Structure formats: structure tokens, C-alpha cells
Amino acid sequence: MQITEINDADQLDHYRLVWKSLLAQTSGATFFHSLDWLQAYWRHFGQDQTLRVLVVRSAGKTLGIVPLVARAEKTRFGSARVLTYPLDHWGVFYGPIGPRPATALTAALQFVRSRPRDWDLLALRFVQCQGADGGRTRRALRFIGFAPIEEADQQAPSVCFAGSWRDYWAARDGHWRNNVLRGERRLAEQGEVVHLRYRPAGTSYGDAAPRWDLFDTCLAVARSSWQAQQTDGTTLSHAAIEPYLRDAHLAAVRSGGLDLNLLLVGGRPAAFAYNYHYAGHVYGLRMGYNPAVSRHGAGTVLMRRMIEDGFARGDHTFDLGPGSLDCKKPWQTSVETSFRYTYFAPGGVRAQALKLKCQLKKLL
């Protein structure tokens, strides 16, 4: 195996075509696995991190790409140097890009082990152990002699678009279905209810209008809701992440990865759902509603219409995202858990203290 390490995000442009080709062969791929997302993310959050993208080749052929970042993270025992995936909780699942993830990850980890160590923790987070990963990360770490600690991380409810919309809807709780339909009727009393879904095909298809008017409408709805009061930087309208979201929006439009939804009641924006998608996989990034327009379940009505439209479009999965699990439970068809695998560097006092803490947590 030949490994090329890239530390400059601009140099990744040389690998754009091969990245795109490998992405199309990646099981469980999402928009967050794309080079377009990584470069948008890096422009806004890369200042205090070191990029370590490992390109794995054999016999002149690129087998896979393993994007990693090194950064300092706060712990109970002070700052620790962590080598991890770049997802940074924007999505739920992540891993190597390419059709042979086990081979690529094992080769990349062997390369990491052979280099001078500048990290305390190797933390491979966002692993879809029950799905696309299938235990490969655990086996790759053990194969090279890194005995990891495995921990469950986030729960991700999702909707599988197998079968028909009629079958899916009939399988929902009857009382809850009636409440959704009642909300539809009450909204209709206020004016015509319209679901607007913008999913451009991308630059390659001559369909890449950013539609900033729709993006700004989503922001306006978010600012009019409870999200305006949040200060943790997780909402669509938070000033600290808005520049990044705009950059990522443009990247998603150009690559054909945007899925923007608005619900209009009487011509007024009542709710939004801002999503990304890739090859039939939809990820729900943010959602909100405007109480000044209606309090009759506009967000619920929008969700019903999105899912029905997803069946019509031929989507295969709608990842509803972590958090607010009670609200998502009526919609979900399954729940997956992301895992993290952590290897603590031997000899480091801080790393071993953190390892002991993790071991005690698992015992308790």
C-alpha cells in the first residue's frame, strides 16, 4: 500500500474526480462524506485543527480515502490532543470513502502508527457499527494492535422508504394519524397549504441556482421561533454558524446535495426543514416553525408531506438526526446508534487517566 497524506485543503482539488468516484461506491455515503462539504467546513472551522487526509493506493489504483483531523479538545483532565474524523457532530455517521473501507482504514491506521505520534487519543467517532461499518473499525484497530474502548454515542431515528407510502402511513398509530390530519384541516382553514421542496440536481446538470431567497426564508422562520433564544450554536439562525451554513448551502447546491423544504399557509412561510441528501439518503439538519403564522402543527404537517414526497421520489432513507427523540418516534421505522472507538496512547498520563475514566464508566 502507498499512503499519501494531505494537510492542505486546497490540494484536495487534485483528488476531486477520484473522490467523487469513490464516494459513489461508498456504502452508507451521505453529503458529509463529500469533498464539497469537507472544504466548506474547513474554511470556517479549520483554523485550530490540522488536516490529515490519507489517500490509500495500491498498484497505481486509489482504494480509498480516510479523512482525519488532529485538534486539541478539553477534557476533565485538561486539554488532550485528539486524532479523529472531521464530522464534528454535523451528522451522525462517518467513515472511510471508497468500496473497500476495511482495507483503506487498516492501511491508514498502520500509516498513523508508523509516524511520530502527535496525539494522545485516537478517537474514531460516528461509526455505523450496526450498518455500513459492520464491525470493520473495531477489527481494523485490533489488527494493528490498537485495543480500543467501544462506546455508544448518539441515537439516530430514521425512516426507511421500503414499500409504499400507503403501507407506511397505515403502520403509524391511528390516534396520532388523526391528530396529523386534524392539523392539516386547521391549517387549511387559514389559507392554501403548499409544500415547496427545492432539490437542485447540481452544476453537472445545469441546475445550481442557490435560491438565497429560500435560504433566507428558512432563517427568518428560525428567528421567529424558539430557536432565536438558543445560544449553543446549534440552530439555523445562530450568528456564529450562519457564515458556514451559507458556504455549505452553496456547496450543497453545486454538488446536488441540497434538500430545502418550506410549508406555506396562505402564502406565508409557516415551517421549514433544511436537509442534505445524497443518492436517496436524506439527512435532516434543522427544522422549525413560525408560531405567528400558525400553532396548528405546521412542522408536523410539513414532515408528513416530506415523507410522502420521499416515497414518490424514490428516496431510500430519511435520517431524522439525533435529539428530540420523543417527537421523532411516531415517524421512525428504526433507530440506529453511532459508536466511537477510542485508543489511548500508552505512556501519557492524561491519556491513561482518560482511559481509566472510560473503563470505570463502562463498568458502572
Side-chain angles (χ1 to χ4, degrees):
M1 299 290 178
Q2 296 85 44
I3 311 294
T4 301
E5 179 172 342
I6 301 166
N7 308 114
D8 185 342
D10 291 335
Q11 291 183 7
L12 293 175
D13 283 327
H14 299 301
Y15 294 87
R16 182 167 298 278
L17 291 179
V18 70
W19 193 305
K20 185 176 182 179
S21 174
L22 291 171
L23 184 63
Q25 304 173 65
T26 303
S27 176
T30 70
F31 172 67
F32 298 107
H33 289 82
S34 70
L35 176 57
D36 302 278
W37 175 79
L38 179 58
Q39 289 183 321
Y41 166 79
W42 199 253
R43 282 192 289 271
H44 295 272
F45 304 110
Q47 297 85 353
D48 299 320
Q49 306 183 67
T50 299
L51 188 66
R52 297 192 65 182
V53 175
L54 304 180
V55 180
V56 181
R57 295 175 58 83
S58 178
K61 181 180 180 180
T62 303
L63 301 181
I65 298 174
V66 182
L68 297 171
V69 297
R71 60 172 173 248
E73 295 185 3
K74 293 181 180 179
T75 73
R76 291 190 177 184
F77 302 99
S79 179
R81 299 170 300 170
V82 180
L83 184 63
T84 186
Y85 289 135
L87 187 59
D88 206 12
H89 291 96
W90 285 104
V92 179
F93 298 115
Y94 200 81
I97 290 99
R100 298 172 61 184
T103 300
L105 183 59
T106 301
L109 291 175
Q110 288 176 322
F111 176 82
V112 168
R113 184 176 182 176
S114 70
R115 311 296 289 178
R117 181 172 56 80
D118 57 356
W119 46 269
D120 303 307
L121 279 67
L122 172 63
L124 298 181
R125 300 160 174 150
F126 318 111
V127 177
Q128 194 177 11
C129 188
Q130 301 158 323
D133 180 77
R136 295 184 182 92
T137 298
R138 184 195 311 114
R139 292 193 294 271
L141 285 163
R142 290 176 176 173
F143 180 80
I144 67 164
F146 284 179
I149 291 181
E150 177 186 85
E151 298 174 279
D153 194 359
Q154 301 181 93
Q155 285 190 312
S158 64
V159 176
C160 176
F161 290 98
S164 68
W165 158 255
R166 181 175 296 180
D167 293 337
Y168 167 83
W169 187 243
R172 303 306 99 199
D173 176 77
H175 177 70
W176 178 79
R177 289 201 313 266
N178 289 334
N179 287 338
V180 176
L181 296 175
R182 188 180 302 114
E184 288 257 14
R185 291 193 296 270
R186 290 181 175 179
L187 285 177
E189 293 171 359
Q190 298 178 234
E192 183 183 11
V193 181
V194 175
H195 171 209
L196 189 159
R197 190 166 206 165
Y198 184 55
R199 189 185 284 190
T203 303
S204 299
Y205 296 89
D207 182 20
R211 290 300 304 271
W212 292 115
D213 57 323
L214 299 181
F215 182 87
D216 290 336
T217 298
C218 292
L219 285 182
V221 173
R223 292 188 181 111
S224 66
S225 70
W226 59 269
Q227 297 184 33
Q229 310 302 321
Q230 299 297 303
T231 59
D232 55 5
T234 62
T235 61
L236 194 73
S237 58
H238 196 279
I241 65 168
E242 184 180 332
Y244 153 71
L245 289 173
R246 287 185 177 275
D247 206 356
H249 174 84
L250 196 56
V253 167
R254 290 172 175 172
S255 65
L258 177 67
D259 182 66
L260 186 153
N261 297 262
L262 282 169
L263 191 76
L264 308 177
V265 179
R268 302 174 64 193
F272 78 91
Y274 191 88
N275 311 323
Y276 296 126
H277 85 95
Y278 179 78
H281 179 282
V282 181
Y283 179 78
L285 185 72
R286 299 290 186 268
M287 191 172 185
Y289 75 98
N290 185 354
V293 175
S294 178
R295 295 181 179 271
H296 297 304
T300 299
V301 171
L302 177 56
M303 180 68 82
R304 191 198 74 80
R305 295 198 175 198
M306 276 196 300
I307 293 176
E308 183 177 7
D309 184 62
F311 275 96
R313 288 173 178 263
D315 292 338
H316 65 74
T317 307
F318 187 179
D319 186 336
L320 303 177
S324 305
L325 299 182
D326 290 339
C327 296
K328 296 169 183 176
K329 188 173 182 179
W331 303 106
Q332 71 191 33
T333 58
S334 64
V335 179
E336 283 198 68
T337 302
S338 68
F339 286 79
R340 60 179 177 268
Y341 293 88
T342 309
Y343 171 72
F344 300 85
V349 175
R350 183 177 293 114
Q352 292 307 305
L354 289 168
K355 180 179 181 180
L356 179 60
K357 174 180 173 291
C358 287
Q359 290 173 328
L360 290 174
K361 182 180 178 181
K362 287 179 69 69
L363 288 174
L364 295 174

